[in-house]
Amino acid sequence: AQSVSQHNHHVILSEAASLELGCNYSYGGTVNLFWYVQYPGQHLQLLLKYFSGDPLVKGIKGFEAEFIKSKFSFNLRKPSVQWSDTAEYFCAVNGHNAGKSTFGDGTTLTVKP
Amino acid sequence: GAGVSQSPRYKVAKRGQDVALRCDPISGHVSLFWYQQALGQGPEFLTYFQNEAQLDKSGLPSDRFFAERPEGSVSTLKIQRTQQEDSAVYLCASSPRPIYEQYFGPGTRLTVT
């Protein structure tokens, strides 16, 4: 069965600090990987995705993530966070031929101004 | 364009009542997913439709849960004889193709008293 583990439940940073959120997955096959974000009072929305090709993917608002196949990881990074990045972040995985996605439990990021 | 909409946004049901939750996906999206999100956790897969066909219902927790999408657009998730453990946010998502990123609705928060 597939599973996703997000190591940090709550991260608190000051503005301009660098961010890295961990995501590890377990899945017996080729995967598609996603990071979704939920800003306060808003819907879940896509931040970035990896299907194939360059393992370093760039998303919206300066976020990027690196797929390391050997480590089953897809960590999210941002060099300098802003107060507006305060949100909950979810890592998700699905198989190449499977529709459903498996989500991690999320990481709440609080950025102090 | 219009996103995924869900109704009602909030539902309070007495234990034992039946409820019906509606999802209007983005027009033209082939795939539709239902997830259940408990407090402090990530979305958990319930079921998946491709057009009107329910291809995966492995996540439905019991036979009290039933979903349909009769014309391949609007979907309804029905929960019979609600129990307190059914209290959660029910998320609907749609996607233009099965393995693509998913577009989420605002969710229906169900509280069973």
Side-chain angles (χ1 to χ4, degrees):
Chain A
Q2 50 195 64
S3 65
V4 176
S5 175
Q6 292 184 240
H7 315 299
N8 313 100
H9 293 295
H10 196 176
V11 172
I12 302 173
L13 295 173
S14 297
E15 275 195 312
S18 64
L19 170 72
E20 181 160 2
L21 301 182
C23 172
N24 285 88
Y25 67 92
S26 171
Y27 186 79
T30 308
V31 295
N32 302 311
L33 295 154
F34 308 86
W35 277 96
Y36 289 88
V37 60
Q38 187 167 22
Y39 297 104
Q42 295 188 25
H43 310 180
L44 269 169
Q45 59 186 278
L46 182 73
L47 199 56
L48 48 77
K49 62 189 177 188
Y50 172 80
F51 285 173
S52 64
D54 188 345
L56 183 63
V57 292
K58 297 189 184 299
I60 60 172
K61 304 187 179 184
F63 285 90
E64 64 179 33
E66 185 175 11
F67 171 49
I68 303 180
K69 189 175 180 181
S70 61
K71 294 185 178 180
F72 299 91
S73 71
F74 190 56
N75 292 355
L76 181 71
R77 301 194 291 248
K78 185 171 184 179
S80 175
V81 295
Q82 300 173 318
W83 176 78
S84 58
D85 293 325
T86 294
E88 190 156 19
Y89 293 81
F90 293 92
C91 181
V93 61
N94 67 23
H96 261 214
N97 296 314
K100 71 179 187 182
S101 289
T102 298
F103 285 77
D105 281 340
T107 297
T108 301
L109 172 65
T110 302
V111 180
K112 295 183 174 179
Chain B
V4 178
S5 61
Q6 292 186 245
S7 61
R9 292 290 313 277
Y10 303 91
K11 177 70 179 177
V12 179
K14 292 188 175 174
R15 193 173 55 160
Q17 279 185 332
D18 298 348
V19 298
L21 313 179
R22 177 187 169 105
C23 172
D24 283 83
I26 293 172
S27 178
H29 277 196
V30 167
S31 302
L32 186 145
F33 305 83
W34 283 99
Y35 293 88
Q36 180 189 61
Q37 186 174 21
L39 193 63
Q41 296 183 14
E44 290 223 10
F45 172 79
L46 292 177
T47 188
Y48 155 55
F49 291 85
Q50 188 168 322
N51 296 306
E52 68 278 5
Q54 190 174 19
L55 297 188
D56 188 343
K57 53 182 181 178
S58 61
L60 296 175
S62 77
D63 59 6
R64 296 186 296 104
F65 287 70
F66 172 75
E68 59 184 6
R69 193 185 186 198
E71 297 178 358
S73 57
V74 171
S75 177
T76 304
L77 176 67
K78 297 178 179 177
I79 309 173
Q80 297 177 324
R81 304 181 304 281
T82 52
Q83 303 293 316
Q84 279 196 311
E85 61 262 28
D86 300 335
S87 295
V89 175
Y90 290 85
L91 296 170
C92 176
S94 69
S95 178
R97 289 173 64 178
I99 63 168
Y100 277 22
E101 66 266 28
Q102 296 173 20
Y103 296 79
F104 283 83
T108 294
R109 182 178 297 278
L110 173 65
T111 303
V112 181
T113 60

